[in-house]
Amino acid sequence: MEPFDFRGVALEDGQWRSQVRDVLGLYLQIPDDDLLKGFRQRAGQPAPGGNLGGWYGDDTFHVFGQIISGLARLHAATGDPAAREKVNRLVSHWGSCIEADGYFFYSRKPNAPHYIYDKMVWGLLDAHLYCGTPDALKYLSRITDWAMGHLDRKRHLGDTSTEWYTLSENLFRAYLITGDPKYRDFAMVWEYSEYWDIYARKADIFAPRPDGKQTGAYHAYSHVNTLGGAGAAYLVTGDTRYRDILKNAYDYLQKGEVFVTGGFGPDEQLLPHRKLVETLYNTTATFETQCGSWAAFKMSKYLMSFTGDARYGDWVERLLYNGVGASIPMTQDGRVMYYSDYRVSGAEKRNTGANLRWSCCTGTRPQVVADYVDQIYFKSEDSLYVNLFTPSKVKWSHKGRAVEIRQATRFPEDGTVEFAVTADQPSEFAIKLRSPGWLSAPVSASVNGHAIALPVDSLNWATIRREWRTGDRLSIALPMRLASSSVDPPRPYPAAISYGPVVLAFDCNNDNILAGIDLNHPEQNLKAVAGQPLTWQLVNDPSARARPFYTFHEGEPYYLYFDPSDAGSDGRPRVRFNSRWSKADRFHFSDVAGATAQCSFEGPAIRWLGFKFDDAGEAEVTIDGKVVAVVDQYGPGRDLPFDWSAKDLGPGRHTIRLQILAEKSALSKGRFINVAGFETPPK
Ligand SMILES: [Zn+2]
């Protein structure tokens, strides 16, 4: 089976088409002169326009090539001629800035020449493929000559300053598109055998390798993105070793690295399991959303094509609803939702700050959003495959006869999906529907109102083969239910609740009350809210509601993963910090007035552990809902001893809560409050 490569497929009205259009609109409005400014300055040409700033202005992991690729793919996904025209203009002007030796960067000091070259190859190939951009391949050849002569070939494992190990994919693609063996040969220079081989051996990527060396963490996005190189190598060579690397890597990542959302790579790292679990307690940077979704989309598409197995589509679907699709709109000045935050202490969606304008994730965002269109349907000589359930249509030439299929659905709000067939002539073929891993019962189906059997084959496709005619209607129902998943089985927590492929997040004051959810039967504690799709309320506390993570807006607090258990892994009572705290080695800290830290404990006394600083502020302390003190953490130096405790609270369970105040001591240089933990005295 193979993808349609955008041809003949269109999204219809719905949230994904809206997102694709919003992204296209945003990238179309970036002034050409701004995008070209540095290239023109470097080439000594007149350079009107403004500096886009951030990573773009600094030539840091520069995204110009990805913006070209993204716009070219958005043109393929939507047919919008403005996207094609912009690609053609940008490539033409940029091409005029290439120097005689092929030097093509934004400045004289590109920070990661391998990375930036790779993204430029991407952009030029996609401009050629999807926009027919004149001279794109000519420019590609010139910059490749420069790269062959100048790129450092030390190839250190995990060198994130270059990400050299992601280069082979697009160079193999360049060979497939042009037939020029220089691209194939150059691609082979960048194969990442040291890492790919671990998957070929079905080994643990954190275990010692045959050479005795060992790696404790890998940069996450680029170590999934590099697997696209193995995918493209399989297309070029047909060597099944490459296919097996992808298959084994997929299974390895799903088993130990991927969260229920499809996201992965907390703090941008693939980590051993124990460390991965810990990150849910202390990092706001759980998933590099745009780049990570893009790498996973590519990997899944290769695997679906190579194996014909529908199970790889499940990852794409999870990321559509809970990864890239759940991100908030980016801003016109290039701030994007770089990270998704799954912290058990509660989190919010945020775009990056100004210093991260035009980051890597603004390069992958248009690429991955355009790819929604190319992930819905696949084809083979005799079958049409439906991977995603979403409003759309596909035109397919089956044995020379035109067939059009329209998919109408409100999925996932409703499990019903309708397909309407239009065919030139009656035509016998199979429609194969991905049978998702989350189904709570088999798919049921009818054709023209008559129930039919829908057997699922060994490759996870529910298949119906018949002679299709214009007016035929296939209707299916995909049964969904509430389900929980733990990151750390057999421990129940951290846990998250899903409905079908949709991960829910809780809107509630704190996650203590989520302890009431029976994780084996979440439907017993969660009641659907009438009139509000995919919304549930806690039976014991209707003020706590769960709804899809993708419905949360910027700044709306939520709990996606939760852990209402009282003790942390260090045996101390667990502290719940709200989203305004940062984590240092020894403590959490914040200087945001209103930031809260809360902790429940058993027994008559509690001690707050921390340090005094000369920039520390004041916090109001509440115990069991009553204000008991205002505590000043100021001290005339750094790291000074700090001691505060409350006694004689009576037996049983108590809750202490700190809230940072806007007021501070006149002596202090700031209003930071730190919390190393809370301690109950030994019994
Ligand atoms: Zn990124």
Side-chain angles (χ1 to χ4, degrees), residues 73 159 236 436 524:
R73 286 165 182 263
D159 180 1
V236 167
Q524 293 184 353

Side-chain angles (χ1 to χ4, degrees), residues 264-502:
F264 60 92
D267 291 327
E268 298 197 27
Q269 293 185 315
L270 302 178
L271 291 168
H273 186 66
R274 179 53 37 210
K275 287 192 171 172
L276 180 115
V277 173
E278 276 171 27
T279 63
L280 286 177
Y281 294 89
N282 58 34
T283 184
T284 60
T286 319
F287 174 39
E288 188 181 353
T289 309
Q290 317 296 324
C291 290
S293 297
W294 172 233
F297 267 36
K298 288 191 295 135
M299 184 173 174
S300 296
K301 198 192 283 181
Y302 280 126
L303 280 165
M304 298 251 288
S305 305
F306 298 166
T307 67
D309 196 332
R311 74 187 178 99
Y312 300 113
D314 284 18
W315 199 10
V316 172
E317 183 182 55
R318 281 196 280 162
L319 286 165
L320 175 68
Y321 292 112
N322 315 302
V324 53
S327 54
I328 54 176
M330 64 178 279
T331 63
Q332 294 211 345
D333 67 346
R335 293 178 299 112
V336 69
M337 189 170 122
Y338 192 120
Y339 294 120
S340 298
D341 186 347
Y342 306 156
R343 266 184 314 163
V344 296
S345 52
E348 296 169 10
K349 293 179 182 175
R350 293 262 174 233
N351 285 324
T352 55
N355 56 332
L356 287 181
R357 276 174 296 156
W358 305 109
S359 65
C360 52
C361 280
T362 66
T364 42
R365 183 169 172 81
Q367 294 179 299
V368 64
V369 167
D371 212 47
Y372 296 172
V373 174
D374 202 41
Q375 294 280 2
I376 308 169
Y377 300 101
F378 289 76
K379 62 184 175 179
S380 66
E381 195 184 332
D382 212 25
S383 302
L384 179 82
Y385 300 78
V386 180
N387 182 37
L388 295 177
F389 305 107
T390 196
S392 55
K393 63 183 176 191
V394 56
K395 287 181 186 160
W396 178 42
S397 172
H398 175 246
K399 297 188 173 159
R401 297 168 183 173
V403 176
E404 181 175 307
I405 293 179
R406 253 188 121 130
Q407 184 184 168
T409 182
R410 293 194 303 120
F411 185 86
E413 291 183 6
D414 178 329
T416 310
V417 188
E418 303 270 353
F419 297 91
V421 177
T422 310
D424 267 3
Q425 301 166 46
S427 195
E428 189 189 321
F429 59 88
I431 295 181
K432 297 189 167 198
L433 309 151
R434 182 172 53 87
S435 178
W438 45 258
L439 282 180
S440 61
V443 183
S444 58
S446 65
V447 172
N448 302 329
H450 302 287
I452 55 158
L454 203 58
V456 178
D457 68 19
S458 62
L459 295 173
N460 304 297
W461 298 102
T463 301
I464 169 170
R465 173 179 292 281
R466 71 193 300 274
E467 188 176 79
W468 297 97
R469 296 161 183 267
T470 294
D472 281 347
R473 301 185 83 83
L474 166 65
S475 176
I476 63 166
L478 299 154
M480 290 177 272
R481 67 180 171 87
L482 292 168
S484 76
S485 49
S486 167
V487 175
D488 196 22
R491 272 186 73 213
Y493 303 115
I497 306 287
S498 305
Y499 183 74
V502 178

